[in-house]
PDB file of all heavy atoms in Angstrom:
ATOM      1  N   MET A   1    -130.074 -90.032-234.597  1.00 86.00           N
ATOM      2  CA  MET A   1    -128.788 -90.571-234.238  1.00 86.00           C
ATOM      3  C   MET A   1    -128.686 -92.072-234.610  1.00 86.00           C
ATOM      4  O   MET A   1    -129.696 -92.712-234.921  1.00 86.00           O
ATOM      5  CB  MET A   1    -128.595 -90.513-232.646  1.00 86.00           C
ATOM      6  CG  MET A   1    -128.825 -89.071-232.175  1.00 86.00           C
ATOM      7  SD  MET A   1    -128.427 -88.926-230.378  1.00 86.00           S
ATOM      8  CE  MET A   1    -129.609 -90.113-229.705  1.00 86.00           C
ATOM      9  N   ASP A   2    -127.479 -92.613-234.512  1.00 85.00           N
ATOM     10  CA  ASP A   2    -127.273 -94.022-234.779  1.00 85.00           C
ATOM     11  C   ASP A   2    -127.336 -94.879-233.517  1.00 85.00           C
ATOM     12  O   ASP A   2    -127.007 -96.074-233.542  1.00 85.00           O
ATOM     13  CB  ASP A   2    -125.911 -94.197-235.445  1.00 85.00           C
ATOM     14  CG  ASP A   2    -124.768 -93.675-234.622  1.00 85.00           C
ATOM     15  OD1 ASP A   2    -125.004 -92.950-233.664  1.00 85.00           O
ATOM     16  OD2 ASP A   2    -123.542 -93.981-234.952  1.00 85.00           O
ATOM     17  N   SER A   3    -127.739 -94.257-232.429  1.00 84.00           N
ATOM     18  CA  SER A   3    -127.861 -94.932-231.122  1.00 84.00           C
ATOM     19  C   SER A   3    -128.986 -94.267-230.347  1.00 84.00           C
ATOM     20  O   SER A   3    -129.230 -93.054-230.441  1.00 84.00           O
ATOM     21  CB  SER A   3    -126.521 -94.864-230.316  1.00 84.00           C
ATOM     22  OG  SER A   3    -126.676 -95.313-229.006  1.00 84.00           O
ATOM     23  N   PRO A   4    -129.728 -95.040-229.570  1.00 83.00           N
ATOM     24  CA  PRO A   4    -130.845 -94.427-228.801  1.00 83.00           C
ATOM     25  C   PRO A   4    -130.288 -93.586-227.654  1.00 83.00           C
ATOM     26  O   PRO A   4    -131.032 -92.831-227.034  1.00 83.00           O
ATOM     27  CB  PRO A   4    -131.619 -95.641-228.306  1.00 83.00           C
ATOM     28  CG  PRO A   4    -130.593 -96.748-228.232  1.00 83.00           C
ATOM     29  CD  PRO A   4    -129.698 -96.520-229.380  1.00 83.00           C
ATOM     30  N   ASP A   5    -129.074 -93.775-227.278  1.00 85.00           N
ATOM     31  CA  ASP A   5    -128.452 -93.072-226.140  1.00 85.00           C
ATOM     32  C   ASP A   5    -127.593 -91.918-226.656  1.00 85.00           C
ATOM     33  O   ASP A   5    -126.644 -92.174-227.472  1.00 85.00           O
ATOM     34  CB  ASP A   5    -127.596 -94.036-225.285  1.00 85.00           C
ATOM     35  CG  ASP A   5    -127.140 -93.382-223.974  1.00 85.00           C
ATOM     36  OD1 ASP A   5    -127.342 -92.180-223.837  1.00 85.00           O
ATOM     37  OD2 ASP A   5    -126.596 -94.146-223.129  1.00 85.00           O
ATOM     38  N   LYS A   6    -127.847 -90.741-226.230  1.00 83.00           N
ATOM     39  CA  LYS A   6    -127.081 -89.581-226.790  1.00 83.00           C
ATOM     40  C   LYS A   6    -125.663 -89.656-226.352  1.00 83.00           C
ATOM     41  O   LYS A   6    -124.755 -89.110-226.964  1.00 83.00           O
ATOM     42  CB  LYS A   6    -127.704 -88.302-226.180  1.00 83.00           C
ATOM     43  CG  LYS A   6    -129.042 -87.966-226.783  1.00 83.00           C
ATOM     44  CD  LYS A   6    -129.531 -86.584-226.356  1.00 83.00           C
ATOM     45  CE  LYS A   6    -129.833 -86.539-224.921  1.00 83.00           C
ATOM     46  NZ  LYS A   6    -130.431 -85.228-224.530  1.00 83.00           N
ATOM     47  N   GLU A   7    -125.303 -90.367-225.240  1.00 85.00           N
ATOM     48  CA  GLU A   7    -123.982 -90.408-224.763  1.00 85.00           C
ATOM     49  C   GLU A   7    -123.119 -91.410-225.628  1.00 85.00           C
ATOM     50  O   GLU A   7    -121.876 -91.211-225.648  1.00 85.00           O
ATOM     51  CB  GLU A   7    -123.932 -90.912-223.315  1.00 85.00           C
ATOM     52  CG  GLU A   7    -124.740 -89.998-222.367  1.00 85.00           C
ATOM     53  CD  GLU A   7    -124.176 -88.571-222.378  1.00 85.00           C
ATOM     54  OE1 GLU A   7    -122.917 -88.366-222.549  1.00 85.00           O
ATOM     55  OE2 GLU A   7    -124.959 -87.623-222.215  1.00 85.00           O
ATOM     56  N   THR A   8    -123.714 -92.297-226.310  1.00 87.00           N
ATOM     57  CA  THR A   8    -122.984 -93.270-227.119  1.00 87.00           C
ATOM     58  C   THR A   8    -123.116 -93.051-228.642  1.00 87.00           C
ATOM     59  O   THR A   8    -122.497 -93.731-229.401  1.00 87.00           O
ATOM     60  CB  THR A   8    -123.448 -94.688-226.793  1.00 87.00           C
ATOM     61  OG1 THR A   8    -124.841 -94.815-227.063  1.00 87.00           O
ATOM     62  CG2 THR A   8    -123.168 -95.007-225.282  1.00 87.00           C
ATOM     63  N   ALA A   9    -123.982 -92.113-229.035  1.00 89.00           N
ATOM     64  CA  ALA A   9    -124.207 -91.849-230.461  1.00 89.00           C
ATOM     65  C   ALA A   9    -122.943 -91.259-231.083  1.00 89.00           C
ATOM     66  O   ALA A   9    -122.245 -90.448-230.498  1.00 89.00           O
ATOM     67  CB  ALA A   9    -125.368 -90.951-230.661  1.00 89.00           C
ATOM     68  N   THR A  10    -122.745 -91.667-232.388  1.00 89.00           N
ATOM     69  CA  THR A  10    -121.602 -91.116-233.113  1.00 89.00           C
ATOM     70  C   THR A  10    -122.139 -90.170-234.256  1.00 89.00           C
ATOM     71  O   THR A  10    -121.640 -89.007-234.361  1.00 89.00           O
ATOM     72  CB  THR A  10    -120.804 -92.253-233.743  1.00 89.00           C
ATOM     73  OG1 THR A  10    -120.313 -93.109-232.671  1.00 89.00           O
ATOM     74  CG2 THR A  10    -119.573 -91.713-234.533  1.00 89.00           C
ATOM     75  N   TYR A  11    -123.030 -90.664-235.029  1.00 88.00           N
ATOM     76  CA  TYR A  11    -123.566 -89.858-236.132  1.00 88.00           C
ATOM     77  C   TYR A  11    -124.834 -89.120-235.660  1.00 88.00           C
ATOM     78  O   TYR A  11    -125.796 -89.843-235.230  1.00 88.00           O
ATOM     79  CB  TYR A  11    -123.867 -90.696-237.344  1.00 88.00           C
ATOM     80  CG  TYR A  11    -122.606 -91.295-237.968  1.00 88.00           C
ATOM     81  CD1 TYR A  11    -122.178 -92.559-237.614  1.00 88.00           C
ATOM     82  CD2 TYR A  11    -121.832 -90.542-238.820  1.00 88.00           C
ATOM     83  CE1 TYR A  11    -121.061 -93.145-238.153  1.00 88.00           C
ATOM     84  CE2 TYR A  11    -120.645 -91.108-239.413  1.00 88.00           C
ATOM     85  CZ  TYR A  11    -120.261 -92.372-239.042  1.00 88.00           C
ATOM     86  OH  TYR A  11    -119.145 -92.919-239.575  1.00 88.00           O
ATOM     87  N   VAL A  12    -124.829 -87.820-235.689  1.00 89.00           N
ATOM     88  CA  VAL A  12    -125.951 -87.017-235.091  1.00 89.00           C
ATOM     89  C   VAL A  12    -126.396 -85.966-236.076  1.00 89.00           C
ATOM     90  O   VAL A  12    -125.550 -85.213-236.623  1.00 89.00           O
ATOM     91  CB  VAL A  12    -125.506 -86.420-233.756  1.00 89.00           C
ATOM     92  CG1 VAL A  12    -126.610 -85.579-233.162  1.00 89.00           C
ATOM     93  CG2 VAL A  12    -125.032 -87.479-232.821  1.00 89.00           C
ATOM     94  N   LEU A  13    -127.700 -85.870-236.252  1.00 87.00           N
ATOM     95  CA  LEU A  13    -128.324 -84.690-236.899  1.00 87.00           C
ATOM     96  C   LEU A  13    -129.095 -83.947-235.786  1.00 87.00           C
ATOM     97  O   LEU A  13    -129.987 -84.526-235.245  1.00 87.00           O
ATOM     98  CB  LEU A  13    -129.214 -85.092-238.040  1.00 87.00           C
ATOM     99  CG  LEU A  13    -129.822 -83.979-238.931  1.00 87.00           C
ATOM    100  CD1 LEU A  13    -130.238 -84.522-240.294  1.00 87.00           C
ATOM    101  CD2 LEU A  13    -131.061 -83.319-238.271  1.00 87.00           C
ATOM    102  N   ARG A  14    -128.708 -82.756-235.487  1.00 90.00           N
ATOM    103  CA  ARG A  14    -129.286 -82.011-234.302  1.00 90.00           C
ATOM    104  C   ARG A  14    -130.004 -80.762-234.826  1.00 90.00           C
ATOM    105  O   ARG A  14    -129.473 -80.034-235.609  1.00 90.00           O
ATOM    106  CB  ARG A  14    -128.137 -81.646-233.408  1.00 90.00           C
ATOM    107  CG  ARG A  14    -128.572 -81.044-232.081  1.00 90.00           C
ATOM    108  CD  ARG A  14    -127.413 -80.880-231.135  1.00 90.00           C
ATOM    109  NE  ARG A  14    -127.764 -80.402-229.843  1.00 90.00           N
ATOM    110  CZ  ARG A  14    -126.938 -80.336-228.783  1.00 90.00           C
ATOM    111  NH1 ARG A  14    -125.643 -80.694-228.961  1.00 90.00           N
ATOM    112  NH2 ARG A  14    -127.348 -79.909-227.573  1.00 90.00           N
ATOM    113  N   VAL A  15    -131.249 -80.627-234.327  1.00 91.00           N
ATOM    114  CA  VAL A  15    -132.038 -79.488-234.753  1.00 91.00           C
ATOM    115  C   VAL A  15    -132.622 -78.780-233.510  1.00 91.00           C
ATOM    116  O   VAL A  15    -133.190 -79.407-232.645  1.00 91.00           O
ATOM    117  CB  VAL A  15    -133.238 -79.931-235.632  1.00 91.00           C
ATOM    118  CG1 VAL A  15    -134.113 -78.684-236.064  1.00 91.00           C
ATOM    119  CG2 VAL A  15    -132.760 -80.682-236.826  1.00 91.00           C
ATOM    120  N   ASN A  16    -132.292 -77.523-233.376  1.00 90.00           N
ATOM    121  CA  ASN A  16    -132.926 -76.666-232.320  1.00 90.00           C
ATOM    122  C   ASN A  16    -133.117 -75.275-232.840  1.00 90.00           C
ATOM    123  O   ASN A  16    -132.982 -75.027-234.007  1.00 90.00           O
ATOM    124  CB  ASN A  16    -131.963 -76.702-231.084  1.00 90.00           C
ATOM    125  CG  ASN A  16    -130.533 -76.199-231.386  1.00 90.00           C
ATOM    126  OD1 ASN A  16    -130.352 -75.331-232.147  1.00 90.00           O
ATOM    127  ND2 ASN A  16    -129.579 -76.901-230.819  1.00 90.00           N
ATOM    128  N   GLN A  17    -133.504 -74.325-231.953  1.00 87.00           N
ATOM    129  CA  GLN A  17    -133.864 -73.017-232.299  1.00 87.00           C
ATOM    130  C   GLN A  17    -132.691 -72.222-232.923  1.00 87.00           C
ATOM    131  O   GLN A  17    -132.914 -71.213-233.608  1.00 87.00           O
ATOM    132  CB  GLN A  17    -134.423 -72.240-231.148  1.00 87.00           C
ATOM    133  CG  GLN A  17    -133.390 -72.022-230.030  1.00 87.00           C
ATOM    134  CD  GLN A  17    -133.989 -71.171-228.914  1.00 87.00           C
ATOM    135  OE1 GLN A  17    -135.124 -70.752-228.971  1.00 87.00           O
ATOM    136  NE2 GLN A  17    -133.129 -70.967-227.899  1.00 87.00           N
ATOM    137  N   ASN A  18    -131.449 -72.719-232.710  1.00 89.00           N
ATOM    138  CA  ASN A  18    -130.287 -72.064-233.232  1.00 89.00           C
ATOM    139  C   ASN A  18    -129.814 -72.545-234.616  1.00 89.00           C
ATOM    140  O   ASN A  18    -128.938 -71.935-235.231  1.00 89.00           O
ATOM    141  CB  ASN A  18    -129.095 -72.165-232.282  1.00 89.00           C
ATOM    142  CG  ASN A  18    -129.428 -71.425-230.967  1.00 89.00           C
ATOM    143  OD1 ASN A  18    -130.014 -70.361-230.992  1.00 89.00           O
ATOM    144  ND2 ASN A  18    -129.066 -72.061-229.830  1.00 89.00           N
ATOM    145  N   GLY A  19    -130.410 -73.645-235.075  1.00 90.00           N
ATOM    146  CA  GLY A  19    -130.047 -74.115-236.416  1.00 90.00           C
ATOM    147  C   GLY A  19    -130.045 -75.636-236.520  1.00 90.00           C
ATOM    148  O   GLY A  19    -130.609 -76.326-235.696  1.00 90.00           O
ATOM    149  N   ILE A  20    -129.403 -76.093-237.636  1.00 91.00           N
ATOM    150  CA  ILE A  20    -129.318 -77.523-237.925  1.00 91.00           C
ATOM    151  C   ILE A  20    -127.834 -77.839-238.026  1.00 91.00           C
ATOM    152  O   ILE A  20    -127.069 -77.153-238.765  1.00 91.00           O
ATOM    153  CB  ILE A  20    -130.064 -77.848-239.224  1.00 91.00           C
ATOM    154  CG1 ILE A  20    -131.513 -77.426-239.163  1.00 91.00           C
ATOM    155  CG2 ILE A  20    -129.960 -79.354-239.517  1.00 91.00           C
ATOM    156  CD1 ILE A  20    -132.264 -77.627-240.487  1.00 91.00           C
ATOM    157  N   GLY A  21    -127.454 -78.916-237.373  1.00 90.00           N
ATOM    158  CA  GLY A  21    -126.041 -79.291-237.443  1.00 90.00           C
ATOM    159  C   GLY A  21    -125.852 -80.798-237.665  1.00 90.00           C
ATOM    160  O   GLY A  21    -126.700 -81.635-237.233  1.00 90.00           O
ATOM    161  N   PHE A  22    -124.719 -81.162-238.307  1.00 89.00           N
ATOM    162  CA  PHE A  22    -124.411 -82.536-238.561  1.00 89.00           C
ATOM    163  C   PHE A  22    -123.054 -82.900-237.902  1.00 89.00           C
ATOM    164  O   PHE A  22    -122.086 -82.154-238.176  1.00 89.00           O
ATOM    165  CB  PHE A  22    -124.316 -82.868-240.034  1.00 89.00           C
ATOM    166  CG  PHE A  22    -125.636 -82.454-240.780  1.00 89.00           C
ATOM    167  CD1 PHE A  22    -125.789 -81.161-241.260  1.00 89.00           C
ATOM    168  CD2 PHE A  22    -126.612 -83.435-241.041  1.00 89.00           C
ATOM    169  CE1 PHE A  22    -126.968 -80.866-241.955  1.00 89.00           C
ATOM    170  CE2 PHE A  22    -127.723 -83.130-241.729  1.00 89.00           C
ATOM    171  CZ  PHE A  22    -127.935 -81.849-242.178  1.00 89.00           C
ATOM    172  N   SER A  23    -122.967 -83.925-237.104  1.00 90.00           N
ATOM    173  CA  SER A  23    -121.746 -84.290-236.451  1.00 90.00           C
ATOM    174  C   SER A  23    -121.506 -85.763-236.696  1.00 90.00           C
ATOM    175  O   SER A  23    -122.406 -86.606-236.698  1.00 90.00           O
ATOM    176  CB  SER A  23    -121.845 -84.016-234.994  1.00 90.00           C
ATOM    177  OG  SER A  23    -120.729 -84.598-234.267  1.00 90.00           O
ATOM    178  N   THR A  24    -120.223 -86.138-236.863  1.00 88.00           N
ATOM    179  CA  THR A  24    -119.825 -87.518-236.929  1.00 88.00           C
ATOM    180  C   THR A  24    -119.016 -87.914-235.758  1.00 88.00           C
ATOM    181  O   THR A  24    -118.333 -88.979-235.800  1.00 88.00           O
ATOM    182  CB  THR A  24    -118.976 -87.748-238.265  1.00 88.00           C
ATOM    183  OG1 THR A  24    -117.847 -86.882-238.237  1.00 88.00           O
ATOM    184  CG2 THR A  24    -119.843 -87.442-239.474  1.00 88.00           C
ATOM    185  N   THR A  25    -118.984 -87.130-234.684  1.00 89.00           N
ATOM    186  CA  THR A  25    -118.232 -87.364-233.483  1.00 89.00           C
ATOM    187  C   THR A  25    -119.040 -87.224-232.251  1.00 89.00           C
ATOM    188  O   THR A  25    -118.516 -86.941-231.175  1.00 89.00           O
ATOM    189  CB  THR A  25    -117.020 -86.494-233.425  1.00 89.00           C
ATOM    190  OG1 THR A  25    -117.438 -85.051-233.468  1.00 89.00           O
ATOM    191  CG2 THR A  25    -116.008 -86.680-234.547  1.00 89.00           C
ATOM    192  N   GLY A  26    -120.356 -87.450-232.284  1.00 89.00           N
ATOM    193  CA  GLY A  26    -121.209 -87.335-231.112  1.00 89.00           C
ATOM    194  C   GLY A  26    -121.933 -86.043-230.969  1.00 89.00           C
ATOM    195  O   GLY A  26    -121.723 -85.114-231.806  1.00 89.00           O
ATOM    196  N   ILE A  27    -122.793 -85.918-229.975  1.00 86.00           N
ATOM    197  CA  ILE A  27    -123.643 -84.796-229.821  1.00 86.00           C
ATOM    198  C   ILE A  27    -122.879 -83.503-229.435  1.00 86.00           C
ATOM    199  O   ILE A  27    -123.395 -82.419-229.636  1.00 86.00           O
ATOM    200  CB  ILE A  27    -124.755 -85.019-228.777  1.00 86.00           C
ATOM    201  CG1 ILE A  27    -124.168 -85.204-227.397  1.00 86.00           C
ATOM    202  CG2 ILE A  27    -125.635 -86.181-229.111  1.00 86.00           C
ATOM    203  CD1 ILE A  27    -125.181 -85.213-226.274  1.00 86.00           C
ATOM    204  N   ASP A  28    -121.711 -83.663-228.924  1.00 87.00           N
ATOM    205  CA  ASP A  28    -120.879 -82.491-228.603  1.00 87.00           C
ATOM    206  C   ASP A  28    -120.069 -81.904-229.754  1.00 87.00           C
ATOM    207  O   ASP A  28    -119.373 -80.992-229.601  1.00 87.00           O
ATOM    208  CB  ASP A  28    -119.991 -82.783-227.422  1.00 87.00           C
ATOM    209  CG  ASP A  28    -120.755 -83.063-226.139  1.00 87.00           C
ATOM    210  OD1 ASP A  28    -121.790 -82.498-225.935  1.00 87.00           O
ATOM    211  OD2 ASP A  28    -120.263 -83.888-225.305  1.00 87.00           O
ATOM    212  N   GLY A  29    -120.237 -82.582-230.968  1.00 86.00           N
ATOM    213  CA  GLY A  29    -119.530 -82.064-232.125  1.00 86.00           C
ATOM    214  C   GLY A  29    -118.064 -82.434-232.210  1.00 86.00           C
ATOM    215  O   GLY A  29    -117.616 -83.386-231.610  1.00 86.00           O
ATOM    216  N   PRO A  30    -117.332 -81.656-232.985  1.00 88.00           N
ATOM    217  CA  PRO A  30    -117.743 -80.452-233.694  1.00 88.00           C
ATOM    218  C   PRO A  30    -118.737 -80.616-234.823  1.00 88.00           C
ATOM    219  O   PRO A  30    -118.676 -81.614-235.484  1.00 88.00           O
ATOM    220  CB  PRO A  30    -116.427 -79.828-234.177  1.00 88.00           C
ATOM    221  CG  PRO A  30    -115.563 -81.030-234.406  1.00 88.00           C
ATOM    222  CD  PRO A  30    -115.926 -81.972-233.344  1.00 88.00           C
ATOM    223  N   TYR A  31    -119.594 -79.640-235.033  1.00 88.00           N
ATOM    224  CA  TYR A  31    -120.561 -79.629-236.122  1.00 88.00           C
ATOM    225  C   TYR A  31    -119.977 -78.890-237.323  1.00 88.00           C
ATOM    226  O   TYR A  31    -120.213 -77.697-237.504  1.00 88.00           O
ATOM    227  CB  TYR A  31    -121.895 -79.018-235.647  1.00 88.00           C
ATOM    228  CG  TYR A  31    -122.645 -79.888-234.656  1.00 88.00           C
ATOM    229  CD1 TYR A  31    -122.359 -79.769-233.288  1.00 88.00           C
ATOM    230  CD2 TYR A  31    -123.551 -80.832-235.066  1.00 88.00           C
ATOM    231  CE1 TYR A  31    -123.063 -80.580-232.435  1.00 88.00           C
ATOM    232  CE2 TYR A  31    -124.270 -81.610-234.233  1.00 88.00           C
ATOM    233  CZ  TYR A  31    -124.006 -81.495-232.829  1.00 88.00           C
ATOM    234  OH  TYR A  31    -124.675 -82.279-231.989  1.00 88.00           O
ATOM    235  N   SER A  32    -119.159 -79.605-238.071  1.00 83.00           N
ATOM    236  CA  SER A  32    -118.441 -78.961-239.177  1.00 83.00           C
ATOM    237  C   SER A  32    -119.375 -78.656-240.337  1.00 83.00           C
ATOM    238  O   SER A  32    -119.044 -77.834-241.204  1.00 83.00           O
ATOM    239  CB  SER A  32    -117.294 -79.903-239.652  1.00 83.00           C
ATOM    240  OG  SER A  32    -117.823 -81.181-240.013  1.00 83.00           O
ATOM    241  N   ASN A  33    -120.509 -79.341-240.432  1.00 87.00           N
ATOM    242  CA  ASN A  33    -121.508 -79.009-241.435  1.00 87.00           C
ATOM    243  C   ASN A  33    -122.783 -78.504-240.699  1.00 87.00           C
ATOM    244  O   ASN A  33    -123.374 -79.301-239.923  1.00 87.00           O
ATOM    245  CB  ASN A  33    -121.895 -80.278-242.243  1.00 87.00           C
ATOM    246  CG  ASN A  33    -120.706 -80.739-243.046  1.00 87.00           C
ATOM    247  OD1 ASN A  33    -119.847 -79.962-243.433  1.00 87.00           O
ATOM    248  ND2 ASN A  33    -120.632 -82.103-243.270  1.00 87.00           N
ATOM    249  N   ALA A  34    -123.130 -77.251-240.883  1.00 88.00           N
ATOM    250  CA  ALA A  34    -124.152 -76.716-240.066  1.00 88.00           C
ATOM    251  C   ALA A  34    -124.835 -75.526-240.862  1.00 88.00           C
ATOM    252  O   ALA A  34    -124.202 -74.850-241.672  1.00 88.00           O
ATOM    253  CB  ALA A  34    -123.682 -76.247-238.686  1.00 88.00           C
ATOM    254  N   TRP A  35    -126.068 -75.231-240.453  1.00 84.00           N
ATOM    255  CA  TRP A  35    -126.821 -74.031-240.955  1.00 84.00           C
ATOM    256  C   TRP A  35    -127.356 -73.392-239.747  1.00 84.00           C
ATOM    257  O   TRP A  35    -128.324 -73.806-239.197  1.00 84.00           O
ATOM    258  CB  TRP A  35    -127.882 -74.471-241.935  1.00 84.00           C
ATOM    259  CG  TRP A  35    -128.473 -73.343-242.703  1.00 84.00           C
ATOM    260  CD1 TRP A  35    -128.213 -71.976-242.607  1.00 84.00           C
ATOM    261  CD2 TRP A  35    -129.493 -73.398-243.690  1.00 84.00           C
ATOM    262  NE1 TRP A  35    -128.929 -71.240-243.459  1.00 84.00           N
ATOM    263  CE2 TRP A  35    -129.772 -72.097-244.124  1.00 84.00           C
ATOM    264  CE3 TRP A  35    -130.226 -74.483-244.302  1.00 84.00           C
ATOM    265  CZ2 TRP A  35    -130.705 -71.799-245.135  1.00 84.00           C
ATOM    266  CZ3 TRP A  35    -131.193 -74.226-245.231  1.00 84.00           C
ATOM    267  CH2 TRP A  35    -131.443 -72.863-245.664  1.00 84.00           C
ATOM    268  N   THR A  36    -126.753 -72.260-239.337  1.00 89.00           N
ATOM    269  CA  THR A  36    -127.080 -71.601-238.102  1.00 89.00           C
ATOM    270  C   THR A  36    -128.118 -70.472-238.321  1.00 89.00           C
ATOM    271  O   THR A  36    -128.292 -69.963-239.503  1.00 89.00           O
ATOM    272  CB  THR A  36    -125.902 -71.074-237.451  1.00 89.00           C
ATOM    273  OG1 THR A  36    -125.237 -70.145-238.296  1.00 89.00           O
ATOM    274  CG2 THR A  36    -124.941 -72.202-237.095  1.00 89.00           C
ATOM    275  N   ILE A  37    -128.814 -70.075-237.253  1.00 85.00           N
ATOM    276  CA  ILE A  37    -129.880 -69.099-237.375  1.00 85.00           C
ATOM    277  C   ILE A  37    -129.373 -67.712-237.763  1.00 85.00           C
ATOM    278  O   ILE A  37    -130.151 -66.895-238.280  1.00 85.00           O
ATOM    279  CB  ILE A  37    -130.599 -69.058-235.995  1.00 85.00           C
ATOM    280  CG1 ILE A  37    -132.042 -68.414-236.211  1.00 85.00           C
ATOM    281  CG2 ILE A  37    -129.901 -68.285-234.996  1.00 85.00           C
ATOM    282  CD1 ILE A  37    -132.892 -68.484-235.006  1.00 85.00           C
ATOM    283  N   ASP A  38    -128.117 -67.458-237.593  1.00 85.00           N
ATOM    284  CA  ASP A  38    -127.571 -66.136-238.029  1.00 85.00           C
ATOM    285  C   ASP A  38    -127.251 -66.075-239.489  1.00 85.00           C
ATOM    286  O   ASP A  38    -126.618 -65.088-239.954  1.00 85.00           O
ATOM    287  CB  ASP A  38    -126.330 -65.805-237.154  1.00 85.00           C
ATOM    288  CG  ASP A  38    -125.202 -66.847-237.264  1.00 85.00           C
ATOM    289  OD1 ASP A  38    -125.405 -67.815-238.046  1.00 85.00           O
ATOM    290  OD2 ASP A  38    -124.168 -66.658-236.592  1.00 85.00           O
ATOM    291  N   GLY A  39    -127.623 -67.093-240.263  1.00 79.00           N
ATOM    292  CA  GLY A  39    -127.443 -67.092-241.701  1.00 79.00           C
ATOM    293  C   GLY A  39    -126.251 -67.702-242.235  1.00 79.00           C
ATOM    294  O   GLY A  39    -125.956 -67.706-243.438  1.00 79.00           O
ATOM    295  N   ASN A  40    -125.413 -68.263-241.370  1.00 82.00           N
ATOM    296  CA  ASN A  40    -124.113 -68.930-241.820  1.00 82.00           C
ATOM    297  C   ASN A  40    -124.361 -70.364-242.213  1.00 82.00           C
ATOM    298  O   ASN A  40    -124.993 -71.193-241.501  1.00 82.00           O
ATOM    299  CB  ASN A  40    -123.069 -68.837-240.703  1.00 82.00           C
ATOM    300  CG  ASN A  40    -122.487 -67.476-240.498  1.00 82.00           C
ATOM    301  OD1 ASN A  40    -122.096 -66.861-241.538  1.00 82.00           O
ATOM    302  ND2 ASN A  40    -122.474 -67.036-239.304  1.00 82.00           N
ATOM    303  N   LEU A  41    -123.870 -70.717-243.398  1.00 80.00           N
ATOM    304  CA  LEU A  41    -123.892 -72.098-243.878  1.00 80.00           C
ATOM    305  C   LEU A  41    -122.498 -72.636-243.900  1.00 80.00           C
ATOM    306  O   LEU A  41    -121.669 -72.159-244.679  1.00 80.00           O
ATOM    307  CB  LEU A  41    -124.551 -72.225-245.275  1.00 80.00           C
ATOM    308  CG  LEU A  41    -124.573 -73.565-245.950  1.00 80.00           C
ATOM    309  CD1 LEU A  41    -125.390 -74.573-245.115  1.00 80.00           C
ATOM    310  CD2 LEU A  41    -125.110 -73.483-247.333  1.00 80.00           C
TER     311      LEU A  41
END
């Protein structure tokens, strides 16, 4: 993230068991660029 606090971060790269997502509007998304575990890019 661009901030140490998840509540104030704007640019976020998030990785978990469901996939990888990129957000420019905070951790709640939307994640318009993502690669999910069900095979969707």
Side-chain angles (χ1 to χ4, degrees):
M1 306 185 301
D2 59 348
S3 169
D5 189 351
K6 292 188 291 185
E7 301 301 325
T8 60
T10 301
Y11 295 95
V12 179
L13 188 157
R14 187 172 186 173
V15 182
N16 56 38
Q17 64 177 359
N18 294 320
I20 303 173
F22 303 86
S23 170
T24 59
T25 56
I27 64 169
D28 293 329
Y31 289 87
S32 57
N33 297 329
W35 191 359
T36 57
I37 197 171
D38 57 3
N40 285 312
L41 177 61

